[in-house]
Amino acid sequence: MASSMKLMLFSALILLSFQAVFSVTPLQFQHPLDPLTKEEISLVQTIVQKKYPTSSNRLSFHYIGLDEPEKNAILQWESIKPRIITVPRKALAITIINSITHEIVIDLKARRIVSDNIHNGNGFPTLSVDEQAVAIELPLKYGPFLESVKKRGLNLSEVVCSTFTMGWFGETTNRRTVRVECFMKESSPNIWVRPISGLTIVVDLELMKIIEYHDSGIIPVPTADNTEYRLSHQKPPFGPKQHSLATHQPQGPGFTISGHSVSWANWKFHIGFDARAGIVISLASIYDLEKHKSRRVLYKGYISELFVPYQDPTDDFYYKTFFDAGEFGFGLSTVSLVPNRDCPSNAQFLDTYVHNADGSPLLIKNAICVFEQYGNIMWRHTETGIPNESFAETRTEVNLVVRTVVTVGNYDNIIDWEFKASGSIKPAIALSGILEIKGVDIKHKNEIKSDQHGTLVSANSIGVYHDHFYIYHLDLDIDGVSNSFEKTSLKTVRVTDGSSKRKSYWTTETATAKTENDAKIIIGTSPGELSVVNPNKKTAVGNDVGYRLIPAIPAHPLLTDDDWPQIRGAFTDFNVWVTPYNRTEKWAGGLYVDHSHGDDTLAVWTKKNRDIENKDIVLWHVVGIHHVPAQEDFPIMPLLSTAFELRPTNFFERNPVLKTLSPKDVQWPGCPK
């Protein structure tokens, strides 16, 4: 690269860095939905340890998070300016003390424990990173395992292990156990595609020892050939060639961040973070230029659970039916974003804190990035219908993206919340990472004699069939708290009275869901529109104001209803659910997911069949991907993505971006006219 070009790029980076620092306004106050601070997590640790001294108790922290205030209190706090009222600031700590699970609520201002309840039901808390780190070392000092490694001719110093939750398969009682699997890192860091198959290792996390071990026989470990994915280890030829892009915003970013509150274009919202849910978007409102006021759209949105059932019923795989948020924690599994790779050069970053097993705070640098995205068309029209006149009107779209990445084991989940000036919110999921591989003694498809439950993606390597089911919790407040859920069917009508030369047409038929059962939707069975409306607010021409769900490509569970994993993951039975707001109903898979029995899930709550018409309601949307692996997914897969949209429908009187200028139409000092 020429030195002048280097100097230009360096100057641009300096300018962007300067803008990134000074576009963040000072934090004036703590928002009641802000994630717990480093000091608050430390305070929780101190208060709990004071009651249960670690010198005389076995104490571990499995969740520390904000004990969410009542919604009414938050909305009252939001509406009163200046904010002279205060909202109680509490934390919830889920701990295991001497093998007993405690739910401890702490008043952070009063610095005292408000409640301390013992969990006596099914299931266990989220696994801690610390205990998993201990468990994966146990096989490396376990005699039978050492013998298995020796028998396979493997080098023990090149063996690494990982933990896997075990699910529930009808047992009446459960111990807090995990399976441990081991892999080879020799010649390549891509351990996930090089499993040591045929071994069963079960670790009791309370005893912290191996309680079950089996070696069913030698299966070849897949070769390290062609498994390297690091750029520094790639060899020519390289390609395809991609050209660079320099991002420059002469006026600086179009958004501001004050603490965790974001203002951009006509949007305002709050970014929260939770050890289990990861990123949380709250209090999203959009400014209506004609009504001259901000109007609430979303009170709270986050991914409540991710269900990943693998489709191999053999001993090595049947238990792999993971609930990544509840068992491992989306927040605990959030990774630092890489500037100029995970996020563009015009991005700003937010740090956050989670907790270690001992309750101490753990910093995640660059956990979230916020940036403006350019290049799409907002709206356009070319007019050619007027004689002797022709013109084109088009507007460039600029969107705001909030991004985080969650890495649970072999998979990376890129989670985006995209805000559009048109009023739409577009949550998106993109998957990358590495396939779950089953080692086999097969090198060519012609050798396959029976169902291998996956695709032969490389020699001795089966990429196992599996699903990814994300369920979003979307507490929509469309122009107010009292909303209804509408189902609009598209129906064919035959013309039978001779009034037209047409024989048929389609029209709409709208019904309002009265109860939870009315709102359970399997998308794809019939054409239709799904909307959340405010029946108490109407447009000038009489339509209920609302937002429409434009769903992701639907995916439906294929396991039988009586299969144990599906009982636990029954929240995937429908693509859409609607429930009345309940502060405690946050986790679609239940509060305690590890070894859970499926008795505290969204599917169970809705059996009450509660009234949801003109109420404060929550929309739940299941976004699913059936993953049939292909060779292109090996050794590391390109992004596989899906998204849905929450789109204004009769919310505005007319196109809200009719008068929005494209970036090229905006002038700044020194810009040529």
Side-chain angles (χ1 to χ4, degrees), residues 554-572:
H556 309 123
L558 298 173
L559 301 180
T560 58
D561 291 341
D562 62 346
D563 198 356
W564 305 110
Q566 191 57 33
I567 291 172
R568 300 173 68 216
F571 55 82
T572 62

Side-chain angles (χ1 to χ4, degrees), residues 17-36:
S17 299
F18 184 88
Q19 292 167 348
V21 170
F22 287 97
S23 61
V24 180
T25 59
L27 177 60
Q28 303 298 325
F29 52 83
Q30 185 178 42
H31 194 289
L33 292 179
D34 279 354
L36 296 183

Side-chain angles (χ1 to χ4, degrees), residues 62 71 83 117 180 219 245 363 408 416 449 479 497 601:
H62 294 260
K71 184 174 181 178
R83 295 186 170 104
N117 298 319
V180 175
I219 297 172
L245 170 69
L363 174 66
V408 184
D416 282 359
K449 306 299 182 186
D479 220 7
D497 60 1
T601 69

Side-chain angles (χ1 to χ4, degrees), residues 58-62 94-97 128 131 176 357-359:
R58 287 189 297 115
L59 166 64
S60 58
F61 292 81
H62 294 260
I94 296 179
T95 64
I96 296 180
I97 305 170
S128 73
E131 65 186 345
R176 212 164 65 86
D358 65 359

Side-chain angles (χ1 to χ4, degrees), residues 281-306:
I281 301 295
S282 300
L283 300 171
S285 61
I286 188 166
Y287 187 80
D288 189 323
L289 200 61
E290 295 195 9
K291 293 183 181 294
H292 306 290
K293 66 176 183 178
S294 289
R295 302 169 66 190
R296 177 91 70 241
V297 174
L298 177 71
Y299 176 73
K300 182 163 293 191
Y302 57 90
I303 295 175
S304 178
E305 191 54 84
L306 167 55

Side-chain angles (χ1 to χ4, degrees), residues 240-246:
K241 183 179 180 181
Q242 295 181 325
H243 289 233
S244 61
L245 170 69

